[in-house]
Amino acid sequence: MNYIYIFGTIFFTIYGQIILKWRLNQFGSLPESFSGKASFLFHALMDIYIISGFLSAFVASIFWMAAMTKFEITVAYPFMSLAPALVFFIGVFLLGETFTWGKVIGLFLIIIGTIVTVKF
């Protein structure tokens, strides 16, 4: 049951990052001018989805604090390396990002490294 804290951390971290990327893609590129950047950031920070992404990061931190009371950091932290693998698949399928075999092989190595770190 304690692993729910680790997986809560991963879930809310990923949610926040995916939502931020999705919405910022819709806003377009950051303008070059200072006033353009200020306007861009103001509108982005008022977006309900972006606000939810920031709140998600806060909730992830609370889950992480709970996880730190239940696990040694050397056990809990390697699980955080699963986030890039999940983000990769979500990015490819939901955001239309680039799929490459090099990324898949790298993610496979990360997952193997996580297993080795946690189990041995």
Side-chain angles (χ1 to χ4, degrees), residues 34-74:
F34 177 78
S35 62
K37 287 177 184 171
S39 176
F40 179 94
L41 291 174
F42 175 78
H43 290 306
L45 291 172
M46 294 298 113
D47 184 81
I48 191 69
Y49 292 106
I50 289 179
I51 292 169
S52 80
F54 286 137
L55 289 174
S56 180
F58 178 73
V59 172
S61 297
I62 292 171
F63 270 92
W64 187 246
M65 288 169 51
M68 291 294 90
T69 69
K70 302 294 182 182
F71 298 95
E72 292 181 8
I73 196 165
T74 56

Side-chain angles (χ1 to χ4, degrees), residues 17 30 34 39 58 60 67 78 87 112:
Q17 296 303 311
L30 187 64
F34 177 78
S39 176
F58 178 73
V87 167
I112 295 298

